[in-house]
Amino acid sequence: MSKGLPLNPALASVPVYQPGRPIEEVARELGLPAAEIIKLASNENPLGPSPAALAAMQRVLPQLHLYPDGNAFYLKQTLARKLELVPEHLIFGNGSNEIIEFVGHALLGPGADVIVSQYCFAVYPIVTRLFGANLVTVPAKNLGHDLPAMLGAITPRTRVVFVANPNNPTGTLASRQEVLRLVEAFPDDVLLVLDEAYIDFLDDPVDLLPLIRSGTRKNLLLMRTFSKIHGLAGLRLGYGIADPALIAAFEKVRQPFNINALVQAAALAALDDAEHVARTRANNRAGLEFFSRAFRALQVEHVPSAANFVLLRVGDGQRVFEGLQRLGVIARPMGGYQLPEWIRISIGTPAENERCLQALKRVLNR
Ligand SMILES: *Cc1c(COP(=O)(O)O)cnc(C)c1O
């Protein structure tokens, strides 16, 4: 009798991540040219990558037979200088998703508790389960994080608390006061991960870098990414900012060449492309206003967003997602987030936003 492979038992409870559908896949399915389909499903930068990053990658192409710099020296130096930190405060990941995995390797295992909010980013529960740890979900407040309740949920078993601010998929923003209170009252022997993937879209974000610089919060990890504001989601680059002792622990679990040569060159150039960042922010602000005005006029319930997407209540989210898709607009259904009545739409270019709105009106019969 076959006994089968002795798979890691933790895998049985690991949820499967459901990404936004790729344009090519939907094009094949609908029999449409890819150029006629727009994707507003994964909070990507609708203006594309920074042109400076594209040029920098061209220059690296002839060197691709060589391994990348395993320490990403120039990129780390430049980013550290920009953030007024030292390189020892920084670690790069293959997307900030990989930083979340470093947290698992360094801190999680059976018997450990991880605290998240209801409607949190899908990767936190995945990594928690992957390492055999126990997920503790704190009910949301008005769809956002209830930070005092998350603090109150900490027990001696808690190892890590994940907070995304602004949060994905809701777009909600915790107040400055609540964030500062959380950081201040947080116990020293638990890791607080503050996911700042959307921080660059905020006008006046809470700045927690002083706590890292001064070394007063050795249990605080900030995570940021090049996927959103810099438009480099396809290259995969995120980073963690923390006390050098925690960064050193993460360095031990990181694969030697996790950041490839193209992304190192592209990110270095993107960091200096202030114009692309400014254009992205302006486009996003205008797009958020466009959608919230349109949804108010249509009386479609939506969550005021601090990020580059908006969550709206459409009734049967899966049906509306499919209807939009037939019209060539890829949005994101939210059933996997226990929000089956809602869909999430990423902010596009003005033309994409207009097309998405017209498609939505048709699907909703408005
Ligand atoms: C998009 C996003 C990230 C970034 O992921 P990458 O792996 O860097 O592309 C991280 N956290 C949240 C909450 C996000 O929405």
Side-chain angles (χ1 to χ4, degrees):
M1 198 184 88
S2 161
K3 287 194 291 189
L5 293 171
L7 291 178
N8 176 352
L11 295 180
S13 66
V14 175
V16 177
Y17 183 76
Q18 289 172 331
R21 296 197 67 195
I23 287 179
E24 301 289 342
E25 185 180 287
V26 174
R28 277 196 305 276
E29 198 173 285
L30 297 178
L32 285 176
E36 286 178 23
I37 293 176
I38 62 171
K39 183 183 178 205
L40 299 177
S42 301
N43 308 339
E44 290 140 337
N45 188 326
L47 306 184
S50 144
L54 292 180
M57 284 189 281
Q58 286 289 346
R59 292 193 291 273
V60 174
L61 291 178
Q63 312 286 324
L64 284 185
H65 60 298
L66 300 176
Y67 278 95
D69 174 356
N71 291 314
F73 178 84
Y74 291 108
L75 178 57
K76 201 177 273 187
Q77 288 283 331
T78 304
L79 184 59
R81 211 176 311 123
K82 243 188 155 69
L83 299 174
E84 297 173 43
L85 299 166
V86 294
E88 291 74 17
H89 284 126
L90 297 174
I91 186 159
F92 291 110
N94 191 255
S96 40
N97 276 276
E98 195 184 23
I99 309 282
I100 301 170
E101 205 177 313
F102 296 161
V103 169
H105 280 294
L107 286 123
L108 299 182
D113 277 5
V114 172
I115 296 178
V116 298
S117 173
Q118 190 182 13
Y119 316 129
C120 70
F121 185 46
V123 179
Y124 311 150
I126 290 175
V127 169
T128 300
R129 304 255 196 242
L130 183 59
F131 288 90
N134 179 46
L135 189 73
V136 177
T137 304
V138 173
K141 195 167 112 192
N142 302 323
L143 292 167
H145 284 52
D146 185 343
L147 294 185
M150 291 179 81
L151 185 64
I154 293 174
T155 72
R157 286 184 309 281
T158 310
R159 295 289 171 274
V160 178
V161 178
F162 284 105
V163 172
N165 199 39
N167 184 45
N168 174 19
T170 57
T172 47
L173 181 71
S175 74
R176 170 180 307 272
Q177 205 182 353
E178 277 197 354
V179 172
L180 292 177
R181 165 87 192 123
L182 175 74
V183 173
E184 201 180 276
F186 209 80
D188 288 337
D189 57 347
V190 179
L191 178 65
L192 174 58
V193 182
L194 263 172
D195 187 340
E196 299 183 326
Y198 300 96
I199 190 170
D200 301 287
F201 294 101
L202 301 175
D203 288 326
D204 186 21
V206 184
D207 181 9
L208 297 174
L209 290 175
L211 299 176
I212 305 281
R213 265 178 223 126
S214 63
T216 42
R217 270 286 164 228
K218 300 190 188 305
N219 59 334
L220 174 65
L221 169 65
L222 308 178
M223 291 195 308
R224 297 185 183 177
T225 179
F226 282 75
S227 295
K228 310 286 157 60
I229 194 87
H230 292 296
L232 297 176
L235 282 180
R236 315 301 301 122
L237 183 67
Y239 56 100
I241 309 169
D243 187 75
L246 181 60
I247 294 295
F250 291 157
E251 282 289 348
K252 292 188 177 179
V253 303
R254 179 180 72 81
Q255 289 196 27
F257 301 110
N258 66 328
I259 306 304
N260 71 58
L262 283 176
V263 70
Q264 291 187 32
L268 199 49
L271 277 177
D272 271 338
D273 195 345
E275 193 203 325
H276 186 257
V277 168
R279 284 200 316 133
T280 301
R281 292 186 63 185
N283 179 74
N284 192 64
R285 198 169 306 125
L288 281 174
E289 271 169 35
F290 169 86
F291 276 122
S292 70
R293 213 175 312 121
F295 295 155
R296 270 200 305 273
L298 290 171
Q299 299 193 329
V300 169
E301 183 182 349
H302 61 286
V303 183
S305 173
N308 66 345
F309 54 85
V310 56
L311 187 72
L312 55 151
R313 192 177 207 162
V314 292
D316 182 344
Q318 185 65 25
R319 184 191 72 82
V320 172
F321 158 74
E322 285 166 14
L324 288 173
Q325 189 169 270
R326 276 192 293 277
L327 298 172
V329 177
I330 311 175
R332 196 76 163 264
M334 288 284 117
Y337 285 89
Q338 314 306 318
L339 291 164
E341 295 182 1
W342 302 71
I343 61 170
R344 195 191 67 196
I345 290 174
S346 306
I347 303 302
T349 61
E352 289 171 335
N353 298 340
E354 182 61 38
R355 182 162 161 209
C356 175
L357 179 64
Q358 294 312 323
L360 189 68
K361 283 184 184 172
R362 270 182 67 183
V363 174
L364 295 177
N365 282 317
R366 304 283 178 89

